[in-house]
Amino acid sequence: MHQFKSLSQNYKIKTSLKGVVADDSRARQTAPPHYLAAMTLVLLVAFAFGAKGLNADLVWLDEMFSLGNMGAFNPPYSPPDVVNSLRNYSPDHVPLYFVLGSQWARLVGWTQLPMRALSLLFGALLIAALFRFTVEVLGKRAALLAAILLSANGFVILYFHEVRMYTLLLLLALLHCWVYWRLSAGRRVGWRSWLLFAATAIAVIYTHVFSLYFLAGLIMQHLVFPPKSRRWLAIAAGWLLALLTFLPYVTVFSRGFFGVTTSVNTLSNALTTPELALSVAHVLVNDVIVLWLPIALLLAHVLRSRRQREFLRLLSIFLGMMLTLFLLNGVFRVIGINRMRYFLLAMPFFVIVVAHLLLSIRPWRVIAALFLLAWATGGYHIYQLAERWTYGGHHTLLMEHPPLQQFSDALRGATRAQDFVFGFAPSPMINWGLKHGWTTADYYTQVGLGIDGGFVNARLRGEALRQDIVDRLDNNPYLIFVYDPLDKPIIFDDVLAAVQADYAQCEVMVKRDTIFAQRYVYHSLSCDREYQPIHYDNGIKIVDRFGDYNVDGESIRVVTGWEVADEAQLDQYNVSIQLLTSDGANVRQADRHLYDDILKWHVEEMTTDGLSPGGYHVVVILYDRYSKAKVSGADLINGLSAKIHPIMQFEIEA
């Protein structure tokens, strides 16, 4: 009887313990309201820091590559167009983010605010997913700490407002790990979970190929921890399927990868293993290198105290990722000080590990508070330095640009199709044609305002400066001269004099402390002149046309502004500028192919030397270069349709 009573009590105790364990498991997977309120605050703070400067600091080199591959300069781009652009210009990248960006732009436009907002959205979702995943794996306290650590990491926040794929990459990797965790735990799951597992694995590979080192860390952990079963094999088969889907892109990527890894720039900047280890050590802890001391002590304490399976799994994933990336760099030498962003993918797993370590000792609140204070201070320092922070990989291109975004915002809605923005650049970098042939200046003028522009190199002097002014103006008759009154370059007076020599001043468009914009018009025109557009039946347009007669120089100068509806028309049609007598006799003629670089403004100069006194008029004709048939066009001023349109009239005195 006594033995039966003892067994009964023992059974009750075990049943009670099971209930406690079950309750603890349920508590771990749900977060009380005050934790959710704290997470809301964390998300708002991270969003605010990520959003700051979204529409202020200029797009930099890599963002320009992203925008070019998405089709910002030749929209709309279909997904095949995006893939084709990457094949030609950026074969070392994969298409998912660029395809999403091109489709996003169809909805919100191509300016930097909405384009960067996509990365900010992915960043906010990343922090939310990190919290939810960590609640399920390590509990709500670790989840909140990990979310705070990630949102206060200056290196990560820098990518919340860049037109780059990294916040999407981190989000997809975390989602894949979350689905994997549920599958490997042996839970009953449906086909949707398996589909999501395969889809996220494929998506993360097609977002950035360096995600393979994340999968390598996950696979190393999978070989050690989960029990070997049919599900274990099914998970491995899912990864194999994801890798097989990348085979069609292997030839493209390998061409780009080996092109990058063998370039002089990559090899000259590549870090040795000790140099890389030191740089990564700074990156992971927000450049507060002393934080490695408490991390090391706490890690030793946790590893010595007792086995914690979930923590060890996460730690092994992080270490596997680090090992794979270091081995990769040892073989190919691809990671330089400006490519530390490749380690971003390890950051969510690192902060989860650190969060668990901070909770591993009894006075965790004091230790965690001090640690977070140092961590956040370092993160804010990185955030303040932004592109000037060495490890961010941002070259000093941004510091060499005028405030193009402010100019674009100030002029938006006030420009006309004929206008040409003209200003100063501290260096020629703003005018450099990048992979797609477009410049940073083109993005802010053509994409942002829908007009052309040019910026004179402020470092030039003398004849080189005069020639650069001529090249930038390129005979554009309608100028918007814009600059920062508080930051006038040394050459300001010389450039202003050159502009005023050929152009007349019109109205002031913007007058602020840091932005001044004034409209100028070619001296033979008036500020209130009505434009003379022609719309041809085939879709080609003349946005304006005019000419002037130089009596002393015995010449005429004819200007026409052209736009085509389809690039194929550049090869099909020619333009003819003809000088006719009063009775219609042709005495001078200049014909050009449309593809001969006459878009947008085409200038023809004809001598009048030797012409008899009398009245003359100048006309423009558009014709098919093969059939010679003239194209009809409607003069939008008088509404008349004709094949020959007048430009100007003048009289040669006896």
Side-chain angles (χ1 to χ4, degrees):
M1 186 70 177
H2 179 270
Q3 187 177 13
F4 176 79
K5 187 176 181 180
S6 176
L7 288 172
S8 177
Q9 288 176 343
N10 189 35
Y11 173 77
K12 288 179 180 179
I13 291 172
K14 287 184 177 180
T15 305
S16 176
L17 287 174
K18 277 187 178 180
V20 170
V21 171
D23 290 342
D24 180 67
S25 177
R26 284 191 293 270
R28 175 177 287 187
Q29 295 180 33
T30 58
H34 62 280
Y35 275 90
L36 297 179
M39 262 305 298
T40 301
L41 180 61
V42 170
L43 281 170
L44 288 174
V45 171
F47 189 90
F49 278 105
K52 183 182 177 183
L54 210 66
N55 201 36
D57 55 330
L58 295 177
V59 298
W60 69 294
L61 190 66
D62 281 6
E63 288 183 287
M64 282 292 295
F65 294 156
S66 295
L67 290 163
N69 284 315
M70 290 174 184
F73 298 97
N74 293 293
Y77 260 23
S78 65
D81 291 332
V82 173
V83 173
N84 187 56
S85 178
L86 290 170
R87 288 175 184 272
N88 293 327
Y89 299 107
S90 303
D92 53 317
H93 283 292
V94 284
L96 180 60
Y97 170 75
F98 302 97
V99 169
L100 292 176
S102 68
Q103 302 311 301
W104 170 261
R106 287 174 179 260
L107 301 175
V108 300
W110 287 103
T111 55
Q112 72 179 53
L113 177 61
M115 292 307 295
R116 284 176 167 172
L118 185 60
S119 293
L120 181 61
L121 172 63
F122 290 143
L125 292 174
L126 164 67
I127 293 175
L130 175 76
F131 175 78
R132 190 63 189 85
F133 169 65
T134 312
V135 165
E136 189 166 309
V137 177
L138 295 175
K140 55 187 179 297
R141 287 177 179 172
L144 183 59
L145 274 177
I148 294 172
L149 288 168
L150 190 64
S151 62
N153 184 274
F155 191 46
V156 172
I157 292 297
L158 286 178
Y159 289 91
F160 272 44
H161 74 287
E162 288 198 356
V163 189
R164 302 292 286 159
M165 72 290 294
Y166 295 104
T167 53
L168 173 63
L169 177 65
L170 269 62
L171 173 62
L172 289 172
L174 200 59
L175 291 176
H176 179 71
C177 192
W178 189 1
V179 178
Y180 162 76
W181 220 265
R182 292 191 163 197
L183 293 178
S184 64
R187 295 185 183 182
R188 294 183 61 184
V189 294
W191 63 269
R192 292 182 182 86
S193 295
W194 286 103
L195 179 62
L196 185 59
F197 174 76
T200 52
I202 295 169
V204 79
I205 294 173
Y206 272 94
T207 300
H208 201 297
V209 178
F210 265 69
S211 61
L212 292 174
Y213 86 87
F214 153 68
L215 292 177
L218 204 55
I219 292 170
M220 290 180 193
Q221 174 274 151
H222 187 66
L223 293 173
V224 176
F225 289 94
K228 309 304 182 287
S229 62
R230 292 179 62 184
R231 178 168 290 194
W232 185 90
L233 289 173
I235 291 172
W239 282 325
L240 179 60
L241 173 65
L243 292 172
L244 289 175
T245 63
F246 190 67
L247 287 179
Y249 211 82
V250 165
T251 55
V252 177
F253 174 75
S254 60
R255 174 167 54 87
F257 178 77
F258 289 109
V260 170
T261 56
T262 57
S263 71
V264 174
N265 181 57
T266 299
L267 294 175
S268 61
N269 292 316
L271 299 175
T272 63
T273 298
E275 291 171 338
L276 185 60
L278 180 60
S279 297
V280 173
H282 280 274
V283 167
L284 290 176
V285 293
N286 263 344
D287 213 13
V288 186
I289 200 69
V290 296
L291 289 180
W292 280 108
L293 179 59
I295 290 174
L297 293 175
L298 290 172
L299 180 60
H301 167 73
V302 169
L303 294 179
R304 186 174 61 251
S305 59
R306 56 192 175 93
R307 285 184 61 83
Q308 301 179 54
R309 183 180 177 83
E310 301 299 280
F311 168 73
L312 290 176
R313 291 180 68 184
L314 289 166
L315 178 62
S316 66
I317 293 171
F318 169 72
L319 294 177
M321 293 168 69
M322 292 293 98
L323 176 62
T324 303
L325 206 51
F326 272 83
L327 289 175
L328 177 68
N329 188 65
V331 175
F332 294 105
R333 297 292 301 278
V334 294
I335 305 176
I337 199 67
N338 61 345
R339 285 197 167 98
M340 299 307 294
R341 57 188 178 274
Y342 294 157
F343 287 90
L344 277 170
L345 197 47
M347 197 66 72
F349 302 95
F350 179 70
V351 297
I352 295 174
V353 167
V354 171
H356 180 78
L357 294 178
L358 293 174
L359 295 170
S360 64
I361 55 176
R362 188 161 296 176
W364 69 270
R365 288 182 175 84
V366 175
I367 299 298
L370 293 174
F371 189 96
L372 287 175
L373 179 62
W375 177 281
T377 301
Y380 187 70
H381 178 66
I382 293 171
Y383 178 81
Q384 290 290 90
L385 291 176
E387 71 275 357
R388 296 185 295 279
W389 190 55
T390 304
Y391 301 103
H394 294 60
H395 303 288
T396 56
L397 288 174
L398 302 187
M399 314 310 295
E400 300 289 344
H401 290 346
L404 295 177
Q405 178 59 34
Q406 289 87 328
F407 291 169
S408 182
D409 285 344
L411 294 171
R412 188 165 291 119
T415 61
R416 304 167 301 193
Q418 296 82 3
D419 289 331
F420 183 87
V421 179
F422 183 68
F424 304 95
S427 82
M429 288 185 288
I430 189 176
N431 298 311
W432 286 353
L434 302 176
K435 290 181 179 180
H436 295 75
W438 303 98
T439 70
T440 305
D442 291 334
Y443 176 70
Y444 286 96
T445 57
Q446 295 188 24
V447 176
L449 296 172
I451 58 177
D452 292 332
F455 293 81
V456 66
N457 182 0
R459 296 179 182 177
L460 299 178
R461 302 291 185 271
E463 182 58 34
L465 174 60
R466 286 188 288 272
Q467 186 59 51
D468 196 44
I469 294 172
V470 171
D471 293 340
R472 297 298 165 204
L473 293 180
D474 195 26
N475 299 306
N476 287 280
Y478 305 102
L479 296 187
I480 298 177
F481 189 32
V482 60
Y483 56 89
D484 181 352
L486 302 179
D487 190 25
K488 293 181 181 178
I490 296 174
I491 64 170
F492 178 82
D493 291 336
D494 294 333
V495 174
L496 181 61
V499 170
Q500 292 179 346
D502 290 325
Y503 295 83
Q505 297 182 48
C506 297
E507 76 274 16
V508 173
M509 302 175 65
V510 181
K511 189 176 182 180
R512 303 177 187 171
D513 290 342
T514 58
I515 301 175
F516 184 88
Q518 185 170 12
R519 196 183 298 279
Y520 283 77
V521 66
Y522 188 67
H523 62 70
S524 64
L525 306 175
S526 61
C527 293
D528 57 355
R529 172 183 177 272
E530 191 173 17
Y531 301 134
Q532 306 291 323
I534 299 171
H535 287 191
Y536 288 97
D537 295 346
N538 59 5
I540 294 177
K541 300 176 183 178
I542 291 181
V543 295
D544 198 12
R545 63 195 196 274
F546 66 88
D548 55 12
Y549 172 43
N550 185 339
V551 178
D552 296 332
E554 295 185 301
S555 65
I556 61 170
R557 184 173 185 269
V558 181
V559 180
T560 50
W562 294 84
E563 292 180 357
V564 297
D566 189 326
E567 288 188 8
Q569 293 174 324
L570 295 175
D571 290 318
Q572 186 175 355
Y573 294 96
N574 290 353
V575 57
S576 178
I577 306 295
Q578 299 182 7
L579 175 57
L580 310 178
T581 63
S582 57
D583 58 0
N586 187 336
V587 293
R588 298 282 190 275
Q589 180 172 333
D591 286 35
R592 290 283 299 276
H593 303 306
L594 272 177
Y595 63 75
D596 283 344
D597 196 25
I598 65 170
L599 302 179
K600 178 173 186 179
W601 294 100
H602 172 41
V603 179
E604 285 289 355
E605 295 190 9
M606 297 181 182
T607 180
T608 60
D609 183 28
L611 293 181
S612 303
Y616 294 85
H617 59 277
V618 181
V619 299
V620 59
I621 300 171
L622 181 69
Y623 65 94
D624 188 299
R625 61 180 298 197
Y626 303 107
S627 68
K628 309 304 179 186
K630 297 181 180 67
V631 182
S632 294
D635 187 319
L636 299 192
I637 299 300
N638 57 34
L640 298 178
S641 181
K643 295 181 179 180
I644 301 176
H645 290 272
I647 295 179
M648 63 174 289
Q649 294 182 354
F650 65 97
E651 186 86 17
I652 297 180
E653 302 293 338

